[in-house]
């Protein structure tokens, strides 16, 4: 008997032979072989989960214009995946507004989002949703700090370029 697709958010049947196929999308930004192996191992450890779609991009996390990410979002909209597994949430975006948009888009389509590196970051639970929001806020703070650091460094370099030690 072929497995039956079910809602990954609903409790599973208690009958030991009841099977449930959960269609998983994997997404990686700047993928590595080690990360790919980790994601595949994570999915294999979850009963009934199978990889239905893989998406990856070699692009900045500061933009949503990434073909692999757009393919994942399209699959969520068309109901082709039940769960999205990423290694870290910042793979989806480093900007809070973008990450909030992507998470909203996925969860509004009934797609659960899970971090393989930190399974507590799981949109299925209230605790996980809280942690996701904290992590996105921290990512935004880090991004803002990095931008400020680069701006300050450029200003310092411009000022020190004007004051050459060889000038008389």
């Amino acid at each position: 008997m072929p497995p039956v697709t079910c809602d990954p958010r609903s409790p599973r049947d208690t009958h030991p032979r009841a099977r449930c196929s959960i269609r998983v999308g994997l997404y990686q930004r700047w993928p590595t072989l080690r990360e790919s192996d980790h994601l595949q191992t994570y999915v294999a450890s979850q009963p009934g989960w199978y990889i239905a779609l893989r998406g990856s991009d070699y692009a900045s996390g500061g933009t949503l214009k990434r073909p692999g990410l757009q393919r994942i979002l399209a699959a969520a909209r068309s109901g082709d995946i039940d769960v999205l597994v990423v290694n870290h949430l910042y793979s989806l975006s480093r900007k809070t507004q973008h990450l909030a948009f992507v998470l909203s888009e996925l969860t509004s389509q009934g797609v659960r989002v899970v971090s393989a590196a930190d399974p507590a970051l799981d949109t299925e639970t209230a605790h996980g949703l809280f942690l996701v929001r904290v992590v996105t806020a921290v990512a935004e703070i880090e991004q803002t700090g990095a931008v400020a650091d680069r701006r300050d460094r450029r200003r310092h370099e411009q000022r020190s370029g004007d004051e050459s030690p060889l000038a008389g």
Side-chain angles (χ1 to χ4, degrees), residues 59-130:
S60 168
T63 180
L64 295 179
K65 294 179 181 177
R66 293 177 267 152
L69 178 61
Q70 292 304 316
R71 195 167 55 250
I72 292 291
L73 292 172
R77 289 180 194 116
S78 65
D80 293 337
I81 59 173
D82 302 309
V83 177
L84 175 63
V85 177
V86 294
N87 203 35
H88 297 282
L89 285 181
Y90 59 75
S91 296
L92 295 172
S93 181
R94 290 215 179 249
K95 292 186 176 183
T96 302
Q97 290 178 334
H98 289 175
L99 185 56
F101 168 78
V102 170
L103 290 172
S104 174
E105 192 71 21
L106 292 166
T107 56
S108 71
Q109 299 298 324
V111 175
R112 175 180 170 190
V113 182
V114 179
S115 166
D118 187 359
L121 297 174
D122 181 344
T123 61
E124 184 177 47
T125 67
H127 178 72
L129 280 171
F130 171 75

Side-chain angles (χ1 to χ4, degrees), residues 14-89:
T14 55
H15 190 276
R17 292 196 177 153
R19 290 207 152 182
C20 193
S21 288
I22 308 296
R23 301 163 301 170
V24 176
L26 296 182
Y27 180 74
Q28 296 175 269
R29 189 172 51 84
W30 297 100
T32 65
L33 184 57
R34 183 177 179 182
E35 181 184 11
S36 296
D37 290 344
H38 176 70
L39 292 175
Q40 289 178 52
T41 301
Y42 179 79
V43 170
S45 73
Q46 304 300 312
W49 287 22
Y50 72 95
I51 299 169
L53 177 67
R54 295 172 192 267
S56 63
D57 292 299
Y58 290 95
S60 168
T63 180
L64 295 179
K65 294 179 181 177
R66 293 177 267 152
L69 178 61
Q70 292 304 316
R71 195 167 55 250
I72 292 291
L73 292 172
R77 289 180 194 116
S78 65
D80 293 337
I81 59 173
D82 302 309
V83 177
L84 175 63
V85 177
V86 294
N87 203 35
H88 297 282
L89 285 181

